[in-house]
Amino acid sequence: AAGVIQSPRHLIKEKRETATLKCYPIPRHDTVYWYQQGPGQDPQFLISFYEKMQSDKGSIPDRFSAQQFSDYHSELNMSSLELGDSALYFCASSDDAGQEAFFGQGTRLTVV
Amino acid sequence: GQQVMQIPQYQHVQEGEDFTTYCNSSTTLSNIQWYKQRPGGHPVFLIQLVKSGEVKKQKRLTFQFGEAKKNSSLHITATQTTDVGTYFCAGPDGTSGTYKYIFGTGTRLKVLA
């Protein structure tokens, strides 16, 4: 069965650079979530989309933005990267809000 | 804002011993989900509880949702080395709807053979 696909799997950027993370949800899932997980930390909710509209925002810095496109894939854009942005970024999708969320393998971002 | 705490933070058990992690929310939850994350892996959905006082079982795992829907527990009977990982509970942020799930602080389980 198709799973949530995230790309790239690993990304190394320098401070003040920009990064774009991509997420392809499971087909026919209409809800996408983005989480940030630091080493040894729990996943922190960043933002979610339902039917291509932003539905909730969490602790997402103003330097970050996200959108969901007509084909339901989502992108997380991160600008003016800081060392503290180094983390695992997970995308998850679900068939309607409040249902089981399927997580992607994550993108490991390292800012140097 | 809503907080979801889990205890203990870490638990080391001998293989065959039981294990329990407790999840407490600062607000009432409409439902609660449990996830397992293996070292280096991604969270994997285990179960969702919806009803007050609900108890669900999956083989050696028993999940319970409190009567007040503010706490939950996961109990593993006779742990195995394959149970190693971090167990998270997650609840929807009731103030903003069900599109925002707050993860608990997690309990990291280590099973010693």
Side-chain angles (χ1 to χ4, degrees), chain B residues 56-74:
Chain B
K56 284 189 176 180
K57 291 191 175 186
Q58 287 180 352
K59 296 183 182 178
R60 295 179 295 105
L61 278 59
T62 302
F63 303 84
Q64 188 166 9
F65 201 8
E67 293 290 340
K69 301 182 80 172
K70 292 183 72 175
N71 56 73
S72 181
S73 65
L74 158 59

Side-chain angles (χ1 to χ4, degrees), chain A residues 9 31-33 35 37 39-45 47-50 55-59 88 90 96-106 108, chain B residues 4 6 9-10 31 33 35 37 40-48 50 86 88 90 92-93 95-106 108:
Chain A
R9 292 291 309 278
T31 307
V32 168
Y33 311 84
Y35 286 88
Q37 186 176 32
Q41 304 294 313
D42 53 287
Q44 294 291 312
F45 174 84
I47 196 167
S48 62
F49 293 87
Y50 174 69
S55 52
D56 276 295
K57 284 183 81 169
S59 50
L88 257 177
F90 287 108
D96 203 2
Q99 301 304 311
E100 171 183 358
F102 293 81
F103 280 73
Q105 299 289 326
R108 183 174 296 279
Chain B
V4 183
Q6 283 181 251
Q9 189 175 2
Y10 300 97
N31 66 83
Q33 297 177 345
Y35 290 82
Q37 186 175 22
H42 59 281
V44 175
F45 177 87
L46 295 176
I47 208 161
Q48 176 169 291
V50 179
T86 302
F88 293 102
D93 184 330
T95 61
S96 58
T98 55
Y99 301 99
K100 178 180 176 181
Y101 269 80
I102 306 299
F103 271 68
T105 46
R108 187 172 298 177

Side-chain angles (χ1 to χ4, degrees), chain A residues 66-78:
Chain A
Q67 56 182 325
Q68 188 176 28
F69 296 85
S70 57
D71 64 352
Y72 288 91
H73 94 272
S74 179
E75 294 184 3
L76 178 64
N77 298 292
M78 311 159 72

